[in-house]
């Protein structure tokens, strides 16, 4: 190893960027115990030069191209967030042979194939540990630690905001809207929470995880995605009564004749380790053919955990740059040319158990009509629970089904929801119980 | 990458070795999606050539030196278990410049410094992911995934046998001896279970984990180590009553003025994720300065999970060998020259809360005498519970203390155990409650 310094350019300097700076600058001696060479941030592109970030102002510029085109800079850290220039910046850096570390899940999920190719052609690397589950070293673990395994399935609590909300709703028997407003006040949820609570954020992460697990590239749009805003305290209570907990899961399953990739609220047994992942914590559970069942748990967001992931990528890149080593690790663990561009199976083909919440008027014969339609559609009932009793008023009717085809559920609900005794659209929660 | 084949020699072919063979030979196409080059097992050293292992008999030899000295072989996989030749074999392989993958925790824990130096001098690598927690990619996660962090503490359930026994005792309110015999019959415990149940196995693993977490090399003999054979169903019941679960933990904590490394049964709150790690599962929880709290969970032993870890090391070595890359990753994550040879703090300096189980004759004044001695030794009582009431018969007396110095506990118990109303040596369980 040469003992030289590796110079880094950083694009963006919000909480993550400031943490990255803190780690690298505050721990020089520590890193020199790990590598013979030093990593230094040479310049940082920011929008507002005057904002005080506790960092020497001489490092700042507003021109990202200037950072990338500095010939001394060999690694570009892209932390621009939703900025429209982020993708162009990554493209420019890779095309100039600069390795890139990014935390941008949307860009990785949408442009992985193009960017992997660009990195390969220009003999540099694209690393993105920070794009999924922040401080949890999950990408590295799947790509390298579990390299021997076919990953058969993966279940992830990969959105901290929605897990925080569901946990609060569970502990306090509170309504979704109330918990969301409180979370927004406390800074646990964004002013515009749609991406977190409607599952989009989780879908981006799931698409990246599925690529590393199965060597399959899927478009985020092709992932079935349902958020948590329709969940009621009653659903949580009914789940508990039957031994379940409700979590927003990203699920990826590879079976002989199907490949499932879906994000939705899910009932899992309380005996499942994921059931004990509370608050803003994330966790990813996997089933691998040799390693068996496993789970990684930790903080999925925030400046410090995300910076921990960014710097782990920097340490790896720095070692290889200083050794002038040939790049031999594919960014997804699978050689880019072997990545299969594919679509997950249609959600209508899903076969699982369902929780169904009907909202019905409490009239004679309602139960007979509903069960008849369910039966006609091959839906067999495991448990049925009628909540309360107020003649001719709306009450919830809860059904747990045996294994059922999603298509049959949809057909049955379409018919049932047209009935005059139905007061609200029927809701379902899928159950994972194996 | 050159597309050549990397030839491996394997020493030992028990359940782990057979799984390694199965993974490599059964998944050629899969690995060719991950690397441009092939890995092949060229020869295997076994004790008994005639035993049927479902592997082409031409691969077998009884001479480990022949395997290591084969000029085509560049990686040696050491899976000889307790065999006295294992250390010599690793030394010979490294000294010839062959990289080595081993699952042997005792050898890594005892000879890390010598072997790391040998590998460095001969420009080859020593990897040992399989030596700790089998299928859980914990070493790689600490060394690389958490490379940005100072790991402040680590708590590990790192012995499956003792976790299986404690789980069974908890679920079935059963005595240690009964569960152990049953576990032996079922193959979950060895015929000679001492190393597993007395904590030695966990201490080896803890010494390796502490090295990767803190860059400190400690001798196994210097790790305070206490097993689970003294745990009674009553202890488990009392723990539950006060919101705790008992687990055999390996604990490593680095604080400003102390460095703790200890293995013992520990009471942890039921809200701790480790409390939900049941049966033969392992889990390692860490607190890192940037990544925060995290946990890795999975199968810690068995042929398949251990082979998964061995092959993850092989995949990494193969990539580097085929690229003819310079070796730039220190086996512990810290450059060998920076590893600090040190001793953990004396257990007598430990400050924690304690559970104390006295066995006393139910006589007047016993309580007064015990509490007086505890008080004299600065031990303050949080809870006191007297179990049953049978005049002049032995009954358990349970005390939960506030924060106490271990030395004070020892002094008090020494005095109390000399009293004529004490019928059995007093037992303690340390509590971790932060």
């Amino acid at each position: 190893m040469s003992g030289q310094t590796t110079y880094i350019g950083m694009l963006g300097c919000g909480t993550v960027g400031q943490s990255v700076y803190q780690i690298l600058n505050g721990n020089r001696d520590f890193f020199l115990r790990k590598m013979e060479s030093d990593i230094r941030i040479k310049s940082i592109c920011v929008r507002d030069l005057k904002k005080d970030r506790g960092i020497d102002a001489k490092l700042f510029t507003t021109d990202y191209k200037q950072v990338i085109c500095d010939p001394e800079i060999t690694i570009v850290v892209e932390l621009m967030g939703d900025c429209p220039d982020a993708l162009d910046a990554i493209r420019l850096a890779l095309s100039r042979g600069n390795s890139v570390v990014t935390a941008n899940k949307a860009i990785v999920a949408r442009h992985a194939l193009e960017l992997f190719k660009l990195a390969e052609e220009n003999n540099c690397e694209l690393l993105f540990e920070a794009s999924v589950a922040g401080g949890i070293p999950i990408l590295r673990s799947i790509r390298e630690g579990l390299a021997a395994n076919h990953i058969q399935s993966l279940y992830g609590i990969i959105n901290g905001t929605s897990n925080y909300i569901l946990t609060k709703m569970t502990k306090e028997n509170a309504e979704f809207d109330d918990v969301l407003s409180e979370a927004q006040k406390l800074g646990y949820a964004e002013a515009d929470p749609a991406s977190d609570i409607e599952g989009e954020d989780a879908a981006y992460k799931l698409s990246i995880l599925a690529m590393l697990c199965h060597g399959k590239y899927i478009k985020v749009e092709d992932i079935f995605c349902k958020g948590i805003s329709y969940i009621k305290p009653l659903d949580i209570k009914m789940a508990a009564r039957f031994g379940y907990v409700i979590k927003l899961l990203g699920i990826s399953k590879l079976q002989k004749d199907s490949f499932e990739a879906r994000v939705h609220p899910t009932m899992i047994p309380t005996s499942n380790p994921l059931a004990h992942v509370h608050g803003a914590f994330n966790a990813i559970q996997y089933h691998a053919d040799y390693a068996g069942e496993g789970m990684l748990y930790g903080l999925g967001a925030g400046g410090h955990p995300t910076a921990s992931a960014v710097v782990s990528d920097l340490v790896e890149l720095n070692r290889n740059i200083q050794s002038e080593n040939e790049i031999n690790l594919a960014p997804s663990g699978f050689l880019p040319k072997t990545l299969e561009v594919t679509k997950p199976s249609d959600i209508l083909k899903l076969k699982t158990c369902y929780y169904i919440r009907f909202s019905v008027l409490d009239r004679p014969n309602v139960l007979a009509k509903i069960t008849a339609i369910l039966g006609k559609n091959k839906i067999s009932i495991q448990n049925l629970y009628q909540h309360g009793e107020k003649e001719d008023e709306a009450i919830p009717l809860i059904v747990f089904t045996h294994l059922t085809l999603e298509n049959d559920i949809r057909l049955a609900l379409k018919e049932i929801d047209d009935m005059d005794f139905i007061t609200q659209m029927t809701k379902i929660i899928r159950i994972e119980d194996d």
Side-chain angles (χ1 to χ4, degrees), chain A:
Chain A
M1 302 185 206
S2 63
Q4 305 248 315
T5 297
T6 299
Y7 290 100
I8 293 172
M10 199 155 79
L11 312 180
C13 198
T15 52
V16 178
Q18 288 169 44
S19 282
V20 169
Y21 181 88
Q22 225 180 76
I23 295 178
L24 292 176
N25 269 50
N27 295 291
R28 283 250 163 88
D29 292 346
F30 177 66
F31 286 113
L32 288 174
R33 290 188 64 194
K34 302 201 165 197
M35 329 175 267
E36 304 266 6
S37 53
D38 204 1
I39 308 180
R40 283 201 192 203
I41 297 179
K42 195 181 169 199
S43 63
I44 306 176
C45 171
V46 292
R47 248 176 258 163
D48 176 2
L49 286 173
K50 285 180 189 148
K51 198 166 157 188
D52 182 25
R53 299 171 180 91
I55 298 175
D56 183 356
K58 275 182 289 183
L59 266 59
F60 295 120
T61 164
T62 56
D63 179 4
Y64 76 82
K65 289 179 189 161
Q66 189 192 316
V67 175
I68 296 172
C69 298
D70 181 329
E72 253 193 340
I73 284 175
T74 48
I75 306 174
V76 173
V77 178
E78 185 281 304
L79 301 169
M80 297 162 97
D82 267 345
C83 168
D85 288 337
L87 177 60
D88 284 339
I90 296 177
R91 283 183 180 135
L92 177 64
L94 293 175
S95 66
R96 290 180 51 90
N98 285 325
S99 285
V100 170
V101 174
T102 180
N104 198 318
K105 56 195 164 284
I107 287 182
V108 177
R110 291 199 180 283
H111 304 281
L113 298 183
E114 174 207 335
L115 298 176
F116 293 174
K117 197 163 163 251
L118 203 55
E120 202 175 25
E121 285 166 1
N122 293 284
N123 198 30
C124 57
E125 293 189 74
L126 174 66
L127 293 179
F128 43 89
E129 182 65 64
S131 67
V132 180
I136 308 176
I138 183 64
L139 301 190
R140 214 166 238 102
S141 290
I142 296 173
R143 199 180 53 199
E144 292 161 67
L146 300 172
N149 295 268
H150 291 86
I151 312 270
Q152 295 147 329
S153 65
L154 175 141
Y155 301 82
I157 295 175
I158 43 183
N159 181 271
T161 305
S162 52
N163 201 49
Y164 173 86
I165 292 174
L166 288 173
T167 302
K168 268 272 198 192
M169 287 176 69
T170 305
K171 284 201 177 143
E172 297 172 6
N173 190 30
E175 293 288 344
F176 173 83
D177 290 332
D178 299 337
V179 175
L180 174 60
S181 333
E182 199 198 323
Q184 285 173 315
K185 271 182 218 146
L186 293 168
Y188 292 127
E190 308 270 348
D192 175 3
S195 174
D196 288 319
I197 62 174
E198 294 308 342
E200 187 198 33
D201 174 84
Y204 282 130
K205 294 167 181 166
L206 182 66
S207 120
I208 297 172
L209 287 167
M211 183 165 59
L212 272 75
C213 284
H214 315 300
K216 288 182 184 296
Y217 176 76
I218 45 174
K219 282 193 188 157
V220 172
E221 290 77 10
D222 292 333
I223 295 176
F224 174 81
C225 184
K226 183 87 196 156
I228 61 166
S229 55
Y230 72 93
I231 302 293
K232 298 268 170 217
L234 173 68
D235 302 327
I236 295 173
K237 232 184 291 172
M238 292 305 301
R241 176 169 302 194
F242 290 91
Y244 296 109
V245 167
I246 301 176
K247 294 287 180 192
L248 180 70
L249 294 189
I251 300 174
S252 151
K253 270 193 206 179
L254 191 55
Q255 282 160 328
K256 258 187 191 156
D257 49 0
S258 72
F259 166 45
E260 298 172 16
R262 45 195 169 95
V263 172
H264 53 70
T266 313
M267 287 197 187
I268 51 172
T270 49
S271 59
N272 186 317
L274 286 174
H276 304 281
V277 176
H278 302 306
F281 277 91
N282 282 18
I284 294 100
Q285 185 184 52
Y286 54 82
H287 293 82
D289 55 352
Y290 280 84
E293 182 196 324
M295 185 177 90
L296 277 75
Y297 164 95
L299 290 168
H304 279 12
T306 309
S308 161
V310 168
V311 175
S312 72
D313 284 347
L314 288 174
V315 168
E316 180 170 338
L317 288 174
N318 180 45
R319 285 202 320 264
N320 288 333
I321 287 170
Q322 290 295 335
S323 309
E324 296 178 15
N325 273 351
E326 186 182 312
I327 293 164
N328 59 20
L329 176 62
S332 70
F334 293 88
L335 302 171
K337 65 180 177 197
T338 74
L339 280 173
E340 294 161 9
V341 180
T342 186
K343 280 189 184 193
S345 308
D346 190 331
I347 190 73
L348 295 179
K349 292 186 180 157
L350 176 65
K351 210 169 180 173
T352 192
C353 297
Y354 291 80
Y355 162 93
I356 312 178
R357 177 187 8 111
F358 299 101
S359 184
V360 299
L361 292 176
D362 193 10
R363 289 185 196 160
N365 265 325
V366 163
L367 204 56
K369 283 181 189 162
I370 289 181
T371 52
I373 298 172
L374 293 178
K376 195 178 70 180
N377 285 285
K378 292 162 279 174
I379 299 166
S380 137
I381 295 173
Q382 205 178 110
N383 278 294
L384 187 148
Y385 184 84
Q386 188 165 316
H387 198 80
E389 199 184 355
K390 308 178 204 162
E391 204 167 330
D392 226 26
E393 274 187 45
I395 55 161
L397 173 73
I398 305 298
V399 167
F400 284 84
T401 76
H402 283 289
L403 268 189
T404 306
L405 194 65
E406 174 112 4
N407 192 49
D408 292 336
I409 291 277
R410 305 272 187 116
L411 288 174
L413 298 195
K414 196 169 178 310
E415 196 173 338
I416 292 170
D417 278 356
D418 276 345
M419 297 282 166
D420 61 353
F421 54 77
I422 291 288
T423 63
Q424 272 177 43
M425 229 183 90
T426 300
K427 300 294 181 192
I428 60 170
I429 301 177
R430 293 161 191 86
I431 302 174
E432 287 287 323
D433 203 354
D434 36 30

